[in-house]
Amino acid sequence: MEDSRETSPSSNNSSEELSSALKLSKGMSIFLDILRRADKNDDGKLSFEEFKAYFADGVLSGEELHELFHTIDTHNTNNLDTEELCEYFSQHLGEYENVLAALEDLNLSILKAMGKTKK
Ligand SMILES: [Ca+2]
């Protein structure tokens, strides 16, 4: 039995298209937020240094990061701009969508937990 949906007033009988569009923009806004945070010098682009510094968390190796960076850098400028990133992520967002949504949920859970433990 799983009836843990007390927070949603009405369940999912409305259009699925709407909810998937909502999820997409939710993922995108998180991704733009990531870009803003990763862009240390605020020029609206990610250099490989910025990219590496932000994403080098042990999940991807330096080589993998380098490969990913050049995959996204379609203009070969050694800088990822918003356009390139949007292009890349909108093509691959299907794969990342769940991750991004999960990350946001995780953030919320952490914030909630912190609020609860901090008395
Ligand atoms: Ca930058």
Side-chain angles (χ1 to χ4, degrees):
M1 292 276 254
E2 32 184 281
D3 52 355
S4 54
R5 297 217 170 180
E6 65 245 24
T7 43
S8 56
S10 69
S11 45
N12 50 0
N13 53 0
S14 52
S15 90
E16 277 179 31
E17 274 176 46
L18 187 75
S19 80
S20 82
L22 217 79
K23 258 194 226 160
L24 201 86
S25 62
K26 187 172 150 185
M28 268 302 178
S29 72
I30 294 173
F31 143 71
L32 286 173
D33 195 50
I34 289 172
L35 172 64
R36 251 178 261 127
R37 266 184 276 170
D39 182 21
K40 297 286 182 206
N41 64 357
D42 284 323
D43 63 355
K45 297 176 286 195
L46 290 189
S47 64
F48 182 60
E49 248 89 88
E50 290 168 334
F51 182 80
K52 199 170 70 176
Y54 194 82
F55 289 101
D57 54 0
V59 178
L60 295 174
S61 71
E63 253 176 59
E64 285 172 318
L65 280 171
H66 206 252
E67 209 180 296
L68 179 62
F69 184 85
H70 284 290
T71 307
I72 302 174
D73 183 25
T74 50
H75 304 158
N76 291 315
T77 51
N78 285 320
N79 267 294
L80 308 183
D81 55 36
T82 323
E83 197 191 321
E84 286 172 336
L85 284 162
C86 279
E87 232 169 72
Y88 179 82
F89 279 94
S90 58
Q91 278 168 26
H92 296 264
L93 200 64
E95 299 158 38
Y96 289 96
E97 194 187 320
N98 294 332
V99 179
L100 290 169
L103 274 178
E104 194 179 85
D105 289 345
L106 183 69
N107 276 344
L108 283 175
S109 309
I110 290 172
L111 285 176
K112 265 188 209 165
M114 281 168 68
K116 269 179 196 164
T117 49
K118 205 194 289 174
K119 285 183 182 172

